[in-house]
Amino acid sequence: YLGTSVLTDSDSFQDVIVKIERPAYHKPFLGGFKNRITGVEFHNAGSQTVPKKRPDRGILLFCRETQMVFEKNKPQQTKNTTSTQMTKIGLYVSNMTDKLVSPGKYLTAEEYHKRRLEAVIVLQRYFRRWHAINVVQNLREKKRLRLAWEAQEELRRKKEKEEKLRREHERRLNPKTKEDFELLYHALELWRQEETERINRTLTGAERKAAFCGLLEQEAQLIASIGRHKLNADEENQQKAILHFMNKCAQPKRWKAYDGKITEMDTPYTLRARELFEIYRSISMNDIPKDERLDILLTLRRTVKEHECKLTREIVELIDREVDLMSREVKEHNLEGLRKRICTLFLQYIKTPKFNPEVARILKVLFLFCTPREPRNTMYKIKNLRIVNGRSYGMVTVNFNSKQGTNREGNYIFPPDKRQHPTRPERKNIAIVKLQDLQYMIENIWGCQSAVSACSDLYDLVMVRWDKQREWSPWNTILLTKDEADAHLKLCNLQEAYEETFIHRIKHKHIQAKNYCAEIPAMTSLLRKSVNQANAN
């Protein structure tokens, strides 16, 4: 409490007791001002009496403030007082700017709406014309793009076909791989059969025997020529394989970082393999000067002298022998055998993990997946199939790590599912089709043409599954072009994609294939299993 005196009259005072309540909260700063002369600061202040609390009745109350808004739209027009002036005596008003207004034809509501409808029809007519022009332009653009795409596809297919024919011609002229030579032997056999048929058809007696002798001599010459090419190609392929093997050993370690960059690192083992690779490539070169050859031999001698064993002693002895013969001015062609022996022994040196530690990793992988000699159960897989002049021939490649292919008698084995994981066990139901059986199916059942477009270009035809959910078999296949096969394998429901007549025609061809395969003993078990599975389904 605070006591103070209050002036009541002009000369009288009264003592008043003022009750001061100090708030429990801090009042906010409301601003102020400062006297520049005296430097006294004045703050703005506000006061608020404490509101009276309602008595607590022990009941929990909830309050929500609401406000209803009522809106009403009412047009209002204010009064506007105007006046007019007419001509009279003593006053002249000019009528030069006046307009004569006369009433027109009365327009009924029906006529008004009719005129509006005609205007709307005109607008719709112009809009539809504009829309039709845009649609036609879009169709023309799509047609142009489609024709351009078809022209590009046709050009691409033509180039692919020409390139394929060029490769086939090149493979016949310069065979490199085992498949190329098998193709040559098969073409030679076809030529021999055709010549035999021609001789039997046109000649008799002594002329026939003389023609057969000439044919046998030509065949022997061609076989000998193919054999010589095969020896040269095998030697070249072996040299390429050796260089590829050494290059793989000499490659640095690589890994991909988190930012996508490739990091390379050379280890002492890779550096050693690279050094040996460079030396081998140098000693394998021909037609180099004598001084460079001597430097290469001395480098090789120092390299192999680092390890003392029987192999290195033989290499050093051969190097000393070649150096001695070169000093005696021996001709180059007389040193070829000695140089080949040096290359062979040095290659054996490189493949020894004791002298080249990096090679141990590569040799371990090669030992797991292949052997130096062809294993007994080596199988072959089809690389491609062609039909020329109404005759089929196939090419096969060796696959040491595969259970699919052909056997020695030329049977074509089609795997049940190429998507099968390599570590999972193979299924036992494999379709074995011989070359003549496949030729019969293509020529007599499918007519050497596509089932969809009737395309007869045999270089563009492939046999794919009719129902991709089932395994391949002669009664679950269809002959199509490559583009048609890609589109066919993307289908999910054959009944919705093809017409009933087309499906019935394909089923009829499958029945023909079943009837033909029923006479093949090797296909009987597979056919019986297929029938049992169909009955179960």
Side-chain angles (χ1 to χ4, degrees):
Y1 296 93
L2 179 64
T4 182
S5 298
V6 179
L7 180 63
T8 57
D9 294 331
S10 58
D11 53 354
S12 63
F13 294 89
Q14 182 180 355
D15 295 333
V16 178
I17 298 175
V18 180
K19 183 179 179 181
I20 301 175
E21 294 183 0
R22 299 186 179 277
Y25 63 94
H26 179 72
K27 292 185 178 181
F29 177 71
L30 304 178
F33 57 92
K34 179 179 179 180
N35 193 333
R36 295 182 178 179
I37 299 176
T38 60
V40 178
E41 294 182 357
F42 299 91
H43 293 175
N44 298 331
S47 62
Q48 177 66 39
T49 58
V50 180
K52 185 178 180 180
K53 295 184 179 181
R54 296 182 180 181
D56 188 7
R57 294 181 294 178
I59 301 174
L60 184 61
L61 301 178
F62 297 94
C63 180
R64 184 179 66 178
E65 296 181 357
T66 60
Q67 179 65 42
M68 304 299 295
V69 178
F70 297 95
E71 296 182 355
K72 181 183 296 186
N73 296 329
K74 185 177 180 181
Q76 297 289 340
Q77 184 176 2
T78 59
K79 296 181 179 181
N80 185 14
T81 304
T82 59
S83 60
T84 59
Q85 181 67 48
M86 305 297 294
T87 302
K88 64 178 182 178
I89 298 174
L91 178 62
Y92 172 76
V93 178
S94 176
N95 57 359
M96 297 299 295
T97 58
D98 292 350
K99 295 181 180 179
L100 181 61
V101 179
S102 60
K105 182 181 178 181
Y106 180 74
L107 188 65
T108 62
E110 182 179 357
E111 294 174 348
Y112 172 77
H113 291 296
K114 182 179 179 181
R115 189 171 65 177
R116 297 290 296 174
L117 179 60
E118 292 175 353
V120 169
I121 292 174
V122 172
L123 291 176
Q124 290 181 350
R125 186 186 305 159
Y126 281 98
F127 172 76
R128 289 171 182 173
R129 178 177 177 270
W130 170 82
H131 182 67
I133 292 174
N134 290 339
V135 170
V136 171
Q137 289 179 352
N138 292 333
L139 290 177
R140 286 177 179 172
E141 182 66 18
K142 290 180 179 179
K143 180 182 177 181
R144 185 187 64 81
L145 296 176
R146 176 69 182 185
L147 293 176
W149 178 81
E150 289 180 355
Q152 292 179 357
E153 287 295 313
E154 184 66 24
L155 183 61
R156 180 185 62 83
R157 285 193 293 266
K158 185 178 179 181
K159 288 183 178 179
E160 288 181 355
K161 185 177 179 180
E162 292 177 353
E163 181 66 19
K164 187 178 296 183
L165 293 175
R166 188 192 63 79
R167 287 198 303 266
E168 292 289 339
H169 185 68
E170 181 67 22
R171 290 174 63 185
R172 290 174 181 269
L173 292 180
N174 299 313
K176 300 294 183 182
T177 62
K178 184 177 180 180
E179 296 84 358
D180 298 343
F181 287 101
E182 288 180 355
L183 179 61
L184 285 180
Y185 283 125
H186 193 85
L188 177 61
E189 179 64 21
L190 292 179
W191 171 79
R192 187 190 65 81
Q193 293 177 3
E194 291 177 357
E195 290 294 320
T196 302
E197 293 177 0
R198 183 185 62 81
I199 293 173
N200 290 329
R201 187 176 60 254
T202 58
L203 301 178
T204 58
E207 295 181 354
R208 179 172 174 272
K209 292 182 179 180
F212 275 131
C213 291
L215 177 62
L216 181 61
E217 184 178 356
Q218 291 182 8
E219 184 181 5
Q221 293 177 359
L222 291 175
I223 291 176
S225 177
I226 294 175
R228 289 192 298 269
H229 282 289
K230 190 174 186 301
L231 291 177
N232 296 333
D234 290 342
E235 184 178 355
E236 183 179 353
N237 292 336
Q238 183 181 6
Q239 189 65 22
K240 288 182 180 179
I242 292 173
L243 295 178
H244 176 73
F245 168 76
M246 294 183 180
N247 187 31
K248 190 174 182 181
C249 295
Q251 290 295 324
K253 307 294 182 180
R254 298 179 181 179
W255 65 87
K256 192 174 183 179
Y258 68 94
D259 55 355
K261 295 182 178 179
I262 302 298
T263 304
E264 296 183 356
M265 182 186 70
D266 282 319
T267 63
Y269 293 163
T270 58
L271 293 176
R272 173 68 175 177
R274 193 175 305 162
E275 178 186 0
L276 296 178
F277 177 42
E278 293 296 334
I279 295 175
Y280 180 83
R281 191 163 55 181
S282 299
I283 66 172
S284 301
M285 296 174 60
N286 297 323
D287 300 330
I288 58 176
K290 182 178 178 180
D291 296 338
E292 294 183 8
R293 180 70 183 180
L294 290 174
D295 293 340
I296 295 170
L297 291 176
L298 292 178
T299 304
L300 175 60
R301 193 175 190 278
R302 286 195 301 267
T303 302
V304 300
K305 285 286 287 183
E306 297 175 0
H307 303 85
E308 185 66 25
C309 64
K310 181 180 179 180
L311 178 62
T312 57
R313 286 194 296 269
E314 291 180 0
I315 296 176
V316 171
E317 181 182 353
L318 294 177
I319 291 174
D320 294 339
R321 187 182 305 175
E322 182 180 353
V323 172
D324 181 59
L325 293 175
M326 291 176 63
S327 63
R328 296 174 184 270
E329 301 296 335
V330 178
K331 296 182 179 180
E332 294 288 333
H333 65 273
N334 294 329
L335 298 176
E336 291 181 358
L338 180 60
R339 291 176 177 177
K340 287 183 179 180
R341 289 183 61 191
I342 294 176
C343 291
T344 303
L345 291 179
F346 185 59
L347 177 62
Q348 185 178 354
Y349 176 87
I350 293 175
K351 289 184 177 181
T352 305
K354 179 181 178 181
F355 310 137
N356 186 12
E358 185 64 21
V359 83
R361 177 176 59 87
I362 308 299
L363 289 179
K364 182 178 180 181
V365 175
L366 293 178
F367 178 76
L368 290 176
F369 291 100
C370 68
T371 57
R373 292 181 300 175
E374 180 178 345
R376 295 180 181 178
N377 57 349
T378 301
M379 304 300 289
Y380 300 81
K381 64 179 181 179
I382 295 177
K383 188 171 184 180
N384 54 23
L385 180 69
R386 295 290 181 267
I387 303 177
V388 179
N389 296 329
R391 298 181 178 272
S392 306
Y393 65 91
M395 292 169 46
V396 293
T397 57
V398 179
N399 188 358
F400 290 97
N401 194 26
S402 176
K403 302 290 185 179
Q404 59 191 14
T406 67
N407 56 19
R408 296 293 185 179
E409 300 176 356
N411 297 332
Y412 286 79
I413 299 179
F414 293 86
D417 192 355
K418 294 182 180 180
R419 298 169 295 177
Q420 188 172 355
H421 197 275
T423 59
R424 297 176 185 171
E426 292 274 349
R427 299 182 181 180
K428 296 182 179 180
N429 46 347
I430 299 177
I432 303 178
V433 182
K434 289 188 176 182
L435 183 61
Q436 56 268 25
D437 299 332
L438 193 61
Q439 178 181 350
Y440 177 85
M441 290 173 53
I442 295 176
E443 293 179 354
N444 299 332
I445 296 179
W446 296 100
C448 293
Q449 62 182 6
S450 171
V452 175
S453 61
C455 177
S456 58
D457 185 5
L458 295 175
Y459 284 94
D460 195 36
L461 294 179
V462 293
M463 295 190 75
V464 296
R465 303 181 186 185
W466 167 251
D467 185 1
K468 63 181 180 181
Q469 303 299 332
R470 295 165 51 197
E471 298 170 355
W472 188 95
S473 62
W475 48 89
N476 184 35
T477 184
I478 183 173
L479 188 63
L480 300 171
T481 62
K482 294 180 180 179
D483 297 336
E484 294 168 356
D486 294 338
H488 174 78
L489 294 177
K490 294 178 182 179
L491 298 177
C492 298
N493 193 337
L494 299 177
Q495 281 70 24
E496 295 180 358
Y498 297 115
E499 295 181 354
E500 189 66 26
T501 56
F502 180 80
I503 296 176
H504 179 72
R505 182 156 52 90
I506 299 300
K507 294 294 183 182
H508 180 67
K509 294 183 180 295
H510 291 168
I511 293 174
Q512 291 179 352
K514 282 186 178 181
N515 295 335
Y516 176 76
C517 294
E519 302 175 358
I520 304 175
M523 300 291 292
T524 305
S525 58
L526 184 62
L527 180 60
R528 188 182 304 110
K529 185 177 295 185
S530 175
V531 172
N532 295 336
Q533 183 179 1
N535 294 334
N537 293 335

